[in-house]
Every structure is written in C-alpha cells, then in structure tokens.
Amino acid sequence: MGAVKLQNVCKSFGGHDVIKDVSIDINEGEFCVLIGPSGSGKSTLLRLIAGLEEATSGRVEIADRDVTDLPAKERDIAMVFQSYALYPQMSVRDNMSFALRLARRPKDEIARKIDDVAQMLGLEALLDRLPKELSGGQRQRVAMGRAIVRNPAVFLFDEPLSNLDAKLRSQVRGDIRDLHRKWQTTSVYVTHDQVEAMTMGEKIVVLRDGQVEQVGTPLELYDQPDCVFVASFIGSPAINMMQARVGAGGKTLVLAEAEVALPMPAGYDLRDDQDVLLGIRPEYLEAVTGHVDHALPATVHAVESTGSDTTVICNSPVGQVLIASKSRSDLAPQQKVFLRFTEGKEILFDKTTERRIVPAPRPVSSLADVR
Amino acid sequence: MKTSLPLRVAKFVVYAIILLIFVGPFWSIVMTAISGVSLKPGQLALLPQSPTFDNFKVAFLDMRVWRYLLNSMVVVSFGTIAQVVVSALAAYALARKKFRGAAIVSLLILSTLMLPEEVIAIPLYLVTIKQLPVIDTSIYNTYFAMILPVVGWAFSIFMLTEFMRAVPKELEEAARIDGANDWQVFGHVILPLIRPALGTVLIFGFIMIWDQYLLPLVVINDRDLETLPVALASLRSDPSITPNIIVAATLIAMAPSVIVYLLLQKHFNRGLMAGAVKG
Ligand SMILES: Nc1ncnc2c1ncn2[C@@H]1O[C@H](COP(=O)(O)OP(=O)(O)OP(=O)(O)O)[C@@H](O)[C@H]1O
Ligand SMILES: [Mg+2]
C-alpha cells in the first residue's frame, strides 16, 4: 500500500510538451481516476507513475519513496493495460504467476496465491487455457488477476474496460470497485468515459492538454466545476451553456438573443453589462407548455427516451438546449415550449477566462436559521 | 466452369514444358548417378544404363566425399547456430533499444548486403591470415575462418528485427513491470513469440552457409578442410573422374539441405501463417 505523489512533473517527447507541470497527491488507499479527452496525456501520466516513461523534470513518489529514477520493476506497482497485454504463449496460470516466478517465490506459495486469486475472479476453470482461447471479458479478468497476484503498493489501470461491451463494462466496473473496497490498495485509473469516472472515482483528476484542470470528488466536479471545460466534460447529457449579460443593477441575467431576463442567482455581485456564460445542467431545466415568466422560449426538436431517462432536445434563440428528466415526456417535435430554470442551480463563468465565478457564501444568518 | 478443348490442350502443353524444364535436369542427374556405364565429360544419361549404386560408393569413399561432407557439416552447424544467436541479439537491439547512431548501425549492416563477395574476398583473405594477438596464430586454414565471416548476416538480422518490431510493445512493458530484466524479456517474451521467424532464418542461414563457395576457396588451403562445394568443383575439373561419380557426389551434397528443409518445413509454413494472422 502506498500513496502516490507527483510534484511538478513535466514530460516532453522531442520538444513537444505532453505533460506540463503536473502535481497530484493520491492518498494511500484512494481510488483516483484520471480523465480527459483523447491526447490529453492520461496514458503518459500513468506511464510516468509506472516507470515506463522517464519524467523530463519533476519528482514521482510512491509509498514515501522517491522513485523518479527507478525502473518499473522496482516501483512495486502492477498495471492493467487497455489491450490486456497477456503473454500469448503462456497459459492463464503462467501469465498470472510470471512475476512471482521471476521473483523466485517458492512453488507452493505461487500455487496457493494463483488458486486464491483464480477463485476470487472465477478463473479456476480457465487456468490451463491460452489467452487466445478466452473471451474478451475473461482476458480482462486474467489481466486483473495478474496484477492482483503481485499484491503491489499501487494498481494502475489504463482504460481497462474500453474493449468490453456495455453490459460487461458496468459489471466489471462494479467488480473493480468491490475489489478496491476489499483490498484498499491505492489505484490510479485512466478513462475517457465520464460515467466510469463518476461511478468509480473517489478522487477525479481532469486533464486537458497535459495540465490538471481540476481535482475533486465526483460531485464536486459536477456541482462546482472550476471552468467551462470541466463543466462540459463532466455530466451526460452535457451541461447547457448560454451567453448572458448582467442586467441593470446586477439584479438580472439577460439572455440577449432570447430577450429574456432571469433573476440573478443569490450570492453573485457582478457589475452591469458584464458578459458571462451561464451553465445549467439538463436536469435543472423544465419544459412547460404555457407561458411563464423568466423562462426561455424554445421549440422541441426531438425527444429521446431510454425508458428510465428522457432527454428533450430543444432549439432556442440561444442555441440547442438539452432537458433531462426521470419522467416520460409527452412533448412532440415542433411543439413550442418554455424552459424554466431551477432556482439557484445556475453556474456562472467569466466569458473571457472561462473560469467559474464563485458566488459569495450564504449569509451567516441563514446558516443560523437552519440550525 | 468448362474450358474448351483447345484451351485444355494448350494448358497441358505449357505445364508439360514447365515440368520438363524443372524436373528434367534433376531426373537426368539421378539417372546418371545410378548408371553403371561411364559417360564422357559433359554427357548425361536420360535413362539408367545397368543401374548400380557403385557411383555413390566410389564418390563417398574413394573420392573422400565423406570428409568434405563432414567439413561442411561442422561449418554449417556451428555457423548456423552462431548466426541465429547473433542475429537475434542484434535484432533485439535494433528493434527495441534506443541508442545513439542506431540508424547508422542499421545502414552499416545493410551495406554488407550491397558488396559482392568477390569484392571482399581479398580483404577477407588478408584478415584471416593475420596473426591474432593473444592466441598468436591466424585463423587461416581453420574451420573458424569459414564460420566467423558468415556469423553476421544482414538478411537474418533484418528479418528478425521486423518480426520483433511486430511484437506488441505492451507485452514487453508488462514483463518489465512484472520484474523482468532485458534478458528475461528477451527469453520469456520476445523469443517465444518470434519462434516461427527463427525457424525461417535457420533454414535460410543453413542453405546460405551450405552453399558458400568463394569463402572456403579463399580462406582454406588444405584439401582435408575443404567443404563440399569447393571439393565438388575440383572433382569436376579432374578429367579422370567420370560424370557419373561427380553427379553422385552432387546428389550427396544436396541431401542435407533437402532433409533440413523437410524437417523444418512444417515449422516454416506455420511460421509464415502465424505471422499473417496475429491474434
Ligand atoms: N512515445 C511518444 N512519442 C511522442 N509523442 C507521444 C508519445 N506518447 C504519447 N505522445 C503524445 O502525447 C500526447 C498524449 O498522449 P497520451 O497517450 O498520453 O494521451 P491519452 O490522454 O492517453 O489519449 P487517449 O485517450 O487517446 O488514450 C499525444 O499528443 C501523443 O501524440
Ligand atoms: Mg491513452
């Protein structure tokens, strides 16, 4: 078991900076998810932790040990690759025992460990098969087994579920979570799937162009995104972003194209005519058919339902807007509707910096009232 | 689909001619070798005349083909093994190691394929005849002189390099994380996965070394160390030896190549297939 600490880590490939001054603290036993769009440097960062790439500058610590200059085999880590990277010529048993055999562990100890892990992962019947005789899900399990047998200080996962079908993916997602709950081994998990990140991560690190955009728990990222990028990246269906301007006296938010003024959410003290971006999650919008005040007029474009969730796609003067709800919708395309904002759920961003404008905390008196 | 008669006849004729071109010479070599009637130099038999195996006996014992065969065997077995070992190690470095001047090393190796061996014959002679420091003797006129020059062969190095490049990098990385050092990665991961290619390189290397003619001619000056190709050539230029015997000796010289190919053939074909549909 061990904490992972990255300090001002940089990595460039032939003059091209891929990781730019990244510092992350991952506590002992934590399940940390690295997420970001393709090419943002997630795999590179993971490989830096693994020791498969050498940092151009900065420091990597695992379990309070400076491992910056240590090769992979001395870092006490195990990694599950996206392609699983099972040794094709070795049986499942030999794949799982390879590290132990290299470490010259006693035969009976190896056999015992393999049996334990095989039983835990339901691989007993497959131990003598070759990787090519396994299904994708079974291969994935063997790759996990190979990592678990080692009992390392840190588990590293690079998109381990991306080759599985949707149903298997959610099942294995649960399995990994359960395993982590049981073993409490520090884990770093790379994914570009925000559902995986939200459901598995205790801590999520959002990467963009080799830089950390935000670190936080899933709900922190969802409710208090630091910037437009994080707000748009986290959440499905994606957050709605609209251009707005602060109205006279800072009392309203004007959606100019729609000629609508919304009441200014509490806690913001903005100057008149300031340009902002208004973000609102799809579940905090409601489509009503009759006219209401402070609502955005729109036309229904399409209704998508998965049975449990319904997404209504609307065209409005400020662009396409998504509405999500748990209840079924009887709206039909081309229907005129008004979109009502749930009070206090708006998230405001500065138009030029795209950083979130943090509202003042609620007055102390109201906290006292709650008590 | 039914083909018309003239077309079938034409096909038959073409195939027959091709067959004749390929099998004809071999047929007449075999027929000559088992003919009891001596032929004049330059003559070959088309049908066996009083068949006998005496020619083989004469060639093998009286003409001392056994000795040349032995020499060839020694050179080819040590040479092939050394060649495959050296090629595999060189290929691993070229395929997987980043080092300064890797491109230049590659180019140098490649350039050895561009020089005709006639060009290097004299330098080779000069090198082999040099007194070496520690052992205080030259390798001229020894088996070493025939083995060392063929140990590094660009063809097999490049062939193995390509196969090693095709081994997914992640396998090697997984092994490193599992605690393997360079040799263990090489032995446990890379070599088992390119085994088919090793078989192919082994066959090509065997045939290449078996067929060496100029090299032994240049570095050997002792009839007892001559390999088959050289010895056969001098037999041929001896007017007192009939074609029957020379041809019998030639057949003996061909046998090992054929046997090795047949033994490794399964491996060889499977190797080419496995490379094509990597799972
Ligand atoms: N060995 C390398 N040499 C040069 N450039 C590299 C190398 N490895 C990665 N890169 C570059 O670094 C950047 C980040 O790559 P990385 O694989 O870390 O992205 P990622 O976030 O894992 O993306 P994905 O979601 O597609 O896997 C990319 O622009 C890539 O081209
Ligand atoms: Mg990646």
Side-chain angles (χ1 to χ4, degrees):
Chain A
M1 287 230 218
V4 177
K5 206 170 183 164
L6 301 178
Q7 281 174 356
N8 307 100
V9 172
C10 298
K11 173 71 188 173
S12 50
F13 289 108
H16 171 54
D17 295 335
V18 171
I19 299 293
K20 303 162 193 159
D21 194 26
V22 167
S23 299
I24 306 175
D25 267 330
I26 302 167
N27 300 327
E28 182 162 333
E30 198 164 41
F31 198 102
C32 174
V33 174
L34 300 181
I35 190 171
S38 190
S40 56
K42 307 178 295 288
S43 299
T44 306
L45 201 54
L46 197 73
R47 294 163 58 81
L48 282 166
I49 300 175
L52 296 173
E53 304 283 358
E54 237 176 277
T56 311
S57 67
R59 186 179 151 96
V60 182
E61 268 179 35
I62 296 176
D64 298 323
R65 208 159 50 108
D66 181 0
V67 298
T68 316
D69 298 318
L70 290 184
K73 63 176 192 163
E74 283 163 41
R75 293 194 177 195
D76 195 16
I77 45 120
M79 183 154 166
V80 178
F81 291 83
Q82 179 173 6
S83 62
Y84 313 142
L86 300 177
Y87 311 120
Q89 79 284 12
M90 294 186 202
S91 66
V92 168
R93 185 192 306 278
D94 289 347
N95 260 282
M96 298 211 305
S97 64
F98 188 58
L100 299 177
R101 284 185 284 135
L102 287 180
R104 301 196 183 286
R105 313 297 310 181
K107 276 213 171 62
D108 51 335
E109 180 195 323
I110 296 179
R112 188 164 36 79
K113 280 193 172 161
I114 300 292
D115 286 345
D116 284 353
V117 173
Q119 197 191 358
M120 192 165 78
L121 295 174
L123 291 171
E124 297 109 312
L126 308 175
L127 280 177
D128 294 313
R129 295 221 198 145
L130 289 175
K132 66 171 181 226
E133 298 162 341
L134 301 177
S135 72
Q138 290 166 334
R139 284 180 207 181
Q140 206 279 337
R141 255 159 216 278
V142 176
M144 300 250 302
R146 186 171 69 180
I148 293 172
V149 165
R150 302 257 318 274
N151 193 20
V154 180
F155 280 126
L156 305 175
F157 300 88
D158 192 354
E159 309 206 19
L161 308 186
S162 56
N163 290 333
L164 303 180
D165 64 54
K167 197 167 167 200
L168 205 52
R169 202 179 304 169
S170 81
Q171 183 195 332
V172 179
R173 206 161 67 201
D175 290 348
I176 294 179
R177 203 173 40 210
D178 293 346
L179 279 175
H180 177 253
R181 204 160 287 159
K182 186 164 150 197
W183 291 77
Q184 294 289 320
T185 304
T186 314
S187 304
V188 187
Y189 187 104
V190 164
T191 180
H192 61 254
D193 177 354
Q194 53 103 14
V195 177
E196 263 172 45
M198 295 296 280
T199 52
M200 303 178 79
E202 293 170 346
K203 174 184 274 176
I204 300 182
V205 176
V206 183
L207 282 178
R208 177 199 197 180
D209 291 339
Q211 277 170 320
V212 176
E213 283 289 326
Q214 190 173 359
V215 180
T217 66
L219 293 184
E220 274 167 17
L221 296 189
Y222 193 78
D223 293 334
Q224 295 135 37
D226 276 351
C227 56
V228 173
F229 175 79
V230 174
S232 314
F233 196 75
I234 302 286
S236 170
I239 193 168
N240 299 299
M241 281 289 171
M242 314 166 184
Q243 309 234 3
R245 196 158 31 78
V246 178
K251 296 263 192 296
T252 52
L253 275 173
V254 182
L255 302 175
E257 289 95 333
E259 294 171 5
V260 173
L262 304 173
M264 177 66 76
Y268 291 98
D269 182 19
L270 303 175
R271 65 187 154 70
D272 286 7
D273 285 341
Q274 184 178 346
D275 282 322
V276 296
L277 286 171
L278 163 62
I280 180 93
R281 298 261 174 217
E283 65 271 28
Y284 298 134
L285 283 177
E286 188 192 359
V288 291
T289 42
H291 177 86
V292 286
D293 285 341
H294 310 310
L296 178 64
T299 314
V300 175
H301 176 69
V303 180
E304 293 174 349
S305 182
T306 62
S308 63
D309 299 271
T310 303
T311 306
V312 181
I313 303 161
C314 297
N315 291 322
S316 82
V318 295
Q320 196 166 67
V321 177
L322 303 179
I323 305 156
S325 75
K326 288 283 160 202
S327 54
R328 303 282 167 92
S329 167
D330 49 12
L331 296 173
Q334 305 312 325
Q335 200 172 341
K336 302 271 185 234
V337 291
F338 289 88
L339 308 181
R340 198 157 58 188
F341 290 65
T342 307
E343 203 182 317
K345 293 300 182 185
E346 302 91 340
I347 308 174
L348 299 188
F349 300 91
D350 188 286
K351 175 91 184 300
T352 44
T353 64
E354 300 206 337
R355 312 296 303 178
R356 186 164 73 104
I357 303 168
V358 184
R362 281 160 169 260
V364 181
S365 61
S366 66
L367 272 181
D369 289 348
V370 171
R371 242 180 246 147
Chain B
M1 203 170 46
K2 242 181 104 119
T3 39
S4 62
L5 189 67
L7 196 67
R8 271 191 295 173
V9 170
K11 262 189 181 175
F12 182 83
V13 170
V14 169
Y15 289 158
I17 291 172
I18 293 174
L19 188 74
L20 218 62
I21 290 171
F22 279 96
V23 179
F26 188 72
W27 169 264
S28 81
I29 285 175
V30 175
M31 289 308 120
T32 309
I34 60 170
S35 281
V37 177
S38 303
L39 298 163
K40 290 197 194 72
Q43 261 188 330
L44 287 175
L46 283 181
L47 290 171
Q49 295 160 319
S50 46
T52 169
F53 282 105
D54 278 357
N55 293 328
F56 288 97
K57 213 177 99 193
V58 173
F60 200 72
L61 298 177
D62 302 349
M63 299 297 137
R64 304 196 346 119
V65 165
W66 68 268
R67 174 77 221 196
Y68 311 129
L69 189 65
L70 187 76
N71 292 339
S72 275
M73 295 275 209
V74 169
V75 170
V76 84
S77 41
F78 285 100
T80 312
I81 291 170
Q83 188 184 73
V84 170
V85 170
V86 166
S87 304
L89 290 173
Y92 182 50
L94 286 177
R96 281 302 154 83
K97 293 285 159 197
K98 285 187 195 138
F99 55 93
R100 268 169 174 277
I104 294 176
V105 171
S106 256
L107 198 68
L108 281 178
I109 296 175
L110 188 69
S111 68
T112 63
L113 282 181
M114 300 173 186
L115 291 175
E117 55 178 358
E118 288 77 8
V119 172
I120 55 171
I122 290 172
L124 200 60
Y125 170 76
L126 294 175
V127 169
T128 49
I129 206 149
K130 260 224 155 57
Q131 297 283 318
L132 292 175
V134 182
I135 49 172
D136 234 9
T137 172
S138 78
I139 58 170
Y140 183 74
N141 243 347
T142 64
Y143 285 132
F144 277 119
M146 293 185 278
I147 294 172
L148 280 182
V150 295
V151 161
W153 189 27
F155 170 81
S156 58
I157 294 176
F158 282 122
M159 172 135 181
L160 291 181
T161 305
E162 281 317 306
F163 270 82
M164 287 188 194
R165 286 216 173 105
V167 173
K169 232 183 160 135
E170 291 183 349
L171 286 182
E172 184 172 342
E173 290 172 347
R176 286 198 189 278
I177 289 177
D178 273 345
N181 58 29
D182 274 352
W183 288 103
Q184 288 165 327
V185 169
F186 184 68
H188 289 294
V189 178
I190 306 280
L191 279 190
L193 291 178
I194 58 148
R195 220 170 49 194
L198 285 180
T200 309
V201 164
L202 205 73
I203 292 177
F204 281 125
F206 182 97
I207 292 172
M208 176 266 201
I209 297 175
W210 190 260
D211 286 348
Q212 285 293 324
Y213 175 72
L214 196 61
L215 175 64
L217 199 63
V218 169
V219 300
I220 296 299
N221 185 16
D222 177 352
R223 294 232 55 179
D224 274 354
L225 288 178
E226 274 177 9
T227 54
L228 270 172
V230 179
L232 285 182
S234 36
L235 285 186
R236 209 159 28 225
S237 54
D238 183 341
S240 67
I241 300 171
T242 62
N244 311 52
I245 306 224
I246 294 172
V247 161
T250 308
L251 277 180
I252 296 173
M254 278 167 59
S257 292
V258 174
I259 291 170
V260 164
Y261 182 78
L262 290 179
L263 282 182
L264 290 176
Q265 186 198 28
K266 245 199 209 135
H267 211 86
F268 186 62
N269 292 342
R270 189 161 1 109
L272 295 182
M273 289 290 283
V277 285
K278 190 162 58 65

